[in-house]
């Protein structure tokens, strides 16, 4: 299946960038989140009340994401350099607690508080065990959910399974962006696309 590939980019001087993170049923990045509570065995927490913490990959670095606009199908890629720019601008704009459900601007969650935000850097040892296979440069976040009904939905149902970023981005053609990429990634991307 041969589709166009675009790289995501932003500019620090305009309105491009992230404006929210959305709790969604079907995350485009193909990674579901983990909900941590007193019963969770994946991470050793000190004995305490239910933690109400969910941890998820917000953006996967150098991973093609399928998109469709009407009949037009294409792929987008967030590079690790662009992810760092996005996260930095998101922080500068003080938007870490900007969370909605299914990209609905009328359903912002007032009880989700980002308590962790980090970019995977395996050389520095910054990678959680639960996401050890995720690409270097990917963005992982944790939210404290201070609402029992939302927490129960996240923990006990399949209605919301992951995160999806929301914002205004520039799409840059693969050829225009290729000078910024190393050959090993281009080879990997070509192999990945053959299997689709």
């Amino acid at each position: 299946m041969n589709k166009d590939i675009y790289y995501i980019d932003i500019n620090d001087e305009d309105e491009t960038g992230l404006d929210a993170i959305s709790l969604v049923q079907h995350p485009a990045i193909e990674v579901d989140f983990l909900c941590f509570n007193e019963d969770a065995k994946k991470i050793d927490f000190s004995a305490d009340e239910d933690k109400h913490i969910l941890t998820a990959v917000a953006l996967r670095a150098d991973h093609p994401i399928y998109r469709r606009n009407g009949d037009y199908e294409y792929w987008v890629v967030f590079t690790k350099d662009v992810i760092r720019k996005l996260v930095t601008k998101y922080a500068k704009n003080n938007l870490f607690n900007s969370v909605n459900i299914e990209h609905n601007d009328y359903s912002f969650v007032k009880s989700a508080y980002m308590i962790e935000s980090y970019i995977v850097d395996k050389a520095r040892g910054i990678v959680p065990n639960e996401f050890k296979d995720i690409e270097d440069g990917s963005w992982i976040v944790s939210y404290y959910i201070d609402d029992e009904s939302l927490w129960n939905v996240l923990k006990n149902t399949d209605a919301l399974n992951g995160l999806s970023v929301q914002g205004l981005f520039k799409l840059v053609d693969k050829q225009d962006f290729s000078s910024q990429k190393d050959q090993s990634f281009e080879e990997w991307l070509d192999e990945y696309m053959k299997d689709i």
Side-chain angles (χ1 to χ4, degrees):
M1 196 176 286
N2 192 9
K3 294 180 177 60
D4 294 328
I5 300 170
Y6 297 98
Y7 290 91
I8 298 292
D9 204 2
I10 63 165
N11 185 326
D12 283 336
E13 307 304 318
D14 62 21
E15 68 279 1
T16 57
L18 299 172
D19 59 43
I21 293 180
S22 193
L23 299 167
V24 296
Q25 184 173 31
H26 303 291
I29 59 169
E30 303 166 339
V31 178
D32 293 350
F33 54 61
L34 304 171
C35 292
F36 298 120
N37 61 38
E38 62 186 1
D39 299 320
K41 303 298 182 211
K42 296 184 185 212
I43 289 185
D44 186 21
F45 284 103
S46 59
D48 201 342
E49 291 292 318
D50 198 355
K51 298 290 186 181
H52 285 236
I53 296 171
L54 75 84
T55 299
V57 178
L59 285 169
R60 286 182 75 177
D62 301 328
H63 181 82
I65 301 169
Y66 171 75
R67 301 279 81 193
R68 183 169 66 196
N69 186 357
D71 290 336
Y72 181 55
E73 298 177 282
Y74 59 101
W75 299 86
V76 297
V77 176
F78 291 86
T79 66
K80 50 179 137 179
D81 292 336
V82 167
I83 289 174
R84 188 167 297 281
K85 282 172 40 178
L86 282 164
V87 173
T88 300
K89 190 170 182 180
Y90 198 59
K92 283 181 181 179
N93 291 333
N94 198 26
L95 292 171
F96 280 140
N97 295 333
S98 181
V99 178
N100 64 26
I101 296 177
E102 293 291 356
H103 296 290
N104 184 337
D105 285 337
Y106 297 102
S107 67
F108 273 88
V109 176
K110 297 193 184 315
S111 60
Y113 306 101
M114 188 180 288
I115 59 170
E116 294 176 326
S117 169
Y118 48 94
I119 295 173
V120 173
D121 186 335
K122 294 175 183 174
R124 292 180 55 211
I126 302 173
V127 58
N129 290 333
E130 301 78 18
F131 299 110
K132 66 180 180 230
D133 295 328
I134 207 73
E135 298 83 0
D136 238 22
S138 297
W139 182 31
I140 298 177
V141 298
S142 293
Y143 284 96
Y144 170 68
I145 307 298
D146 191 22
D147 177 288
E148 199 66 40
S149 59
L150 177 58
W151 179 251
N152 285 330
V153 169
L154 294 169
K155 188 172 99 171
N156 299 318
T157 75
D158 288 331
L160 300 169
N161 295 310
L163 300 180
S164 178
V165 297
Q166 176 176 307
L168 182 61
F169 311 111
K170 294 192 299 186
L171 298 180
V172 181
D173 187 83
K174 178 181 176 181
Q175 292 175 348
D176 295 336
F177 205 84
S178 62
S179 63
Q180 301 176 32
K181 301 302 305 161
D182 60 32
Q183 186 60 35
S184 62
F185 173 72
E186 290 301 325
E187 291 170 353
W188 173 86
L189 185 59
D190 289 340
E191 284 300 310
Y192 182 90
M193 297 305 290
K194 285 178 191 173
D195 295 334
I196 302 217

